[in-house]
Amino acid sequence: MRESRPVLTLPPFTILSRWLDVVDTLSRNETFRVPYTPHMDDSVGPFMLARDGTVENWRDKSVMRAILRWEDVPAIRALAAVTAAKALAAVPQPTVDVVQTVSRLVPLRIVQQSFGFPGPDDEHMLRWSWATQADMFHNPTNDRSLLDACNAAGTEMRTWIRAFLAEREPWCDAQGEDSVSRLLRMTAGGLSGLDTEQVVSNICGLLVGAIETTSQAIVNATEQILLRHDVTVRAIEAARSSDIAAFDAIVWEALRFNPMTTFVARVAAERAVLAPGSTHATTVEAGSVIAVGIGSAMFDAGVFPEPNEFRVRRRTSYLHMGFGPHECLGQFVAYAIIPETIRQLFLLPGIRLIEGDAGHVDMAGGPFAEHFVIGHGAGAQG
């Protein structure tokens, strides 16, 4: 498609596969809008991610950037390291299930401790996360069961948060340097521009965007490294060294070969042109669904020379966190916890893929990895 049909129009949607066309479309957010509103408003309330070119989007993103501070990253990475190492130390040889042991647990602990959204317990938090992400980002056919589960999860989540926030009044005295405590103090001082329900919705967003995408990235990148013996050797060496950047570069290149998301959807708000100025410029009508191929774009040879080769240090062109106005708000947090969790895995002695179906990533018929069993230690078979 990239070679001969870079814009391919099919009955249900139009697919973009080249890097330049992908980033152009993602940059024009008021023309090509996100389709999330029906999946978010009845769940977590009117939320910035579902809106383009609005006060809510502009204001709320600014507020959340102010409370998700860059200087928090070292502590967040340290928490990811401790959480993963402790969990892995408790797993006996010769195998470990990456999903059930660390890939969900680590981002969950970040939400609870660094973001300051503890939730009632792990079980509720993980269920809320799964249900909201499955519908909001993985329900293109509008399956009613997924939508109902998302709305139920959002209703439960908002009810719990309201009670949690009531216990912390007056907000001006909220103690702590976690994200929620900062948000409460900012709001109490009249600096956020948010009312109580808007605060609740944005706290929901701290969970919704954190766990399942992070877990999938950890699983996918780990598998891609282990599929390549030479890369595995390099990853083990880098994990044991003090050169964190070298290990991280391996992770982001590995994720290019199987990103956590290969397409993102956009809907044309008006009649518009895709790939304007090119020989494959294509006009789409208002309401047209665009499948923006971020996975394909990361194999565009014009941006990624020798795209089928595993080459590190390509990070500036990666689209793992999206592009444009809807680029992942917490991307710098993800840049810390994803590679650090994987680094802890590669500190396991004898880490390797295991043979047979048990060694494959198991999606269990759903949108997210539910199991990924790898071998480690002297007893691992591979």
Side-chain angles (χ1 to χ4, degrees):
M1 286 172 54
R2 284 189 301 272
E3 179 68 26
S4 59
R5 296 292 297 277
V7 179
L8 178 61
T9 300
L10 301 172
F13 44 69
T14 297
I15 303 175
L16 301 180
S17 56
R18 287 188 185 172
W19 193 88
L20 184 60
D21 302 334
V22 163
V23 299
D24 171 71
T25 300
L26 294 179
S27 298
R28 292 190 280 158
N29 65 303
E30 291 189 47
T31 299
F32 300 106
R33 298 185 176 182
V34 293
Y36 306 137
T37 299
H39 304 274
M40 289 188 172
D41 281 11
D42 291 337
S43 174
V44 299
F47 188 52
M48 60 180 169
L49 185 58
R51 280 152 177 78
D52 289 292
T54 63
V55 170
E56 291 86 356
N57 183 279
W58 181 265
R59 178 197 61 209
D60 292 15
K61 282 198 297 188
S62 300
V63 170
M64 299 310 285
R65 283 197 176 101
I67 66 170
L68 294 168
R69 296 179 182 172
W70 191 272
E71 57 265 32
D72 294 340
V73 172
I76 288 174
R77 183 154 191 157
L79 175 57
V82 169
T83 302
K86 182 178 179 181
L88 291 169
V91 177
Q93 298 178 11
T95 63
V96 58
D97 188 329
V98 174
V99 180
Q100 299 300 313
T101 306
V102 292
S103 70
R104 282 181 173 141
L105 177 67
V106 172
L108 173 62
R109 292 290 181 262
I110 301 301
V111 171
Q112 292 171 325
Q113 298 179 34
S114 297
F115 294 171
F117 176 10
D121 52 51
D122 291 1
E123 181 181 355
H124 277 83
M125 297 282 279
L126 291 172
R127 180 168 57 81
W128 293 343
S129 170
W130 198 101
T132 52
Q133 280 232 350
D135 176 57
M136 292 175 183
F137 308 119
H138 298 275
N139 189 15
T141 61
N142 294 314
D143 183 296
R144 189 69 212 185
S145 64
L146 291 177
L147 180 60
D148 289 345
C150 175
N151 290 343
T155 298
E156 288 181 24
M157 184 162 34
R158 284 193 286 172
T159 298
W160 187 91
I161 293 172
R162 291 186 192 108
F164 172 65
L165 296 183
E167 293 173 356
R168 302 195 64 180
E169 293 178 345
W171 291 357
C172 58
D173 295 332
Q175 299 298 308
E177 282 306 313
D178 57 83
S179 303
V180 170
S181 296
R182 291 169 180 164
L183 177 60
L184 298 186
R185 292 195 296 269
M186 182 186 294
T187 302
L191 300 176
S192 73
L194 304 176
D195 61 28
T196 299
E197 283 303 301
Q198 290 165 337
V199 168
V200 170
S201 292
N202 279 286
I203 293 174
C204 288
L206 292 172
L207 174 68
V208 169
I211 296 179
E212 292 302 336
T213 50
T214 301
S215 175
Q216 196 68 53
I218 291 167
V219 168
N220 289 3
T222 300
E223 182 190 40
Q224 289 300 314
I225 294 171
L226 291 174
L227 284 169
R228 299 164 172 82
H229 177 72
D230 60 326
V231 179
T232 299
V233 172
R234 291 166 60 191
I236 291 171
E237 292 175 350
R240 294 172 178 171
S241 77
S242 60
D243 191 351
I244 299 299
F247 185 84
D248 292 5
I250 293 171
V251 169
W252 300 120
E253 176 69 354
L255 194 59
R256 184 173 68 91
F257 286 85
N258 188 13
M260 59 274 211
T261 301
T262 52
F263 291 94
V264 292
R266 294 293 185 265
V267 179
E270 58 195 18
R271 195 169 189 263
V273 177
L274 297 166
S278 71
T279 58
H280 52 274
T282 302
T283 299
V284 293
E285 301 299 326
S288 298
V289 177
I290 315 301
V292 186
I294 59 176
S296 172
M298 289 190 285
F299 278 80
D300 188 329
V303 181
F304 295 84
E306 298 181 308
N308 294 322
E309 296 297 317
F310 194 104
R311 291 172 53 180
V312 298
R313 309 291 185 183
R314 302 195 200 238
R315 178 170 172 174
T316 55
S317 299
Y318 291 136
L319 298 174
H320 299 316
M321 305 299 164
F323 190 88
H326 285 283
E327 191 172 30
C328 178
L329 192 65
Q331 61 178 294
F332 62 92
V333 176
Y335 284 141
I337 64 178
I338 291 169
E340 183 56 42
T341 303
I342 297 172
R343 192 176 77 87
Q344 294 301 318
L345 286 166
F346 278 84
L347 290 174
L348 293 172
I351 181 173
R352 68 196 77 182
L353 291 176
I354 61 175
E355 296 178 351
D357 292 342
H360 296 161
V361 175
D362 180 8
M363 307 292 284
F368 311 119
E370 300 296 338
H371 300 279
F372 177 42
V373 181
I374 60 175
H376 70 106
Q381 298 297 313

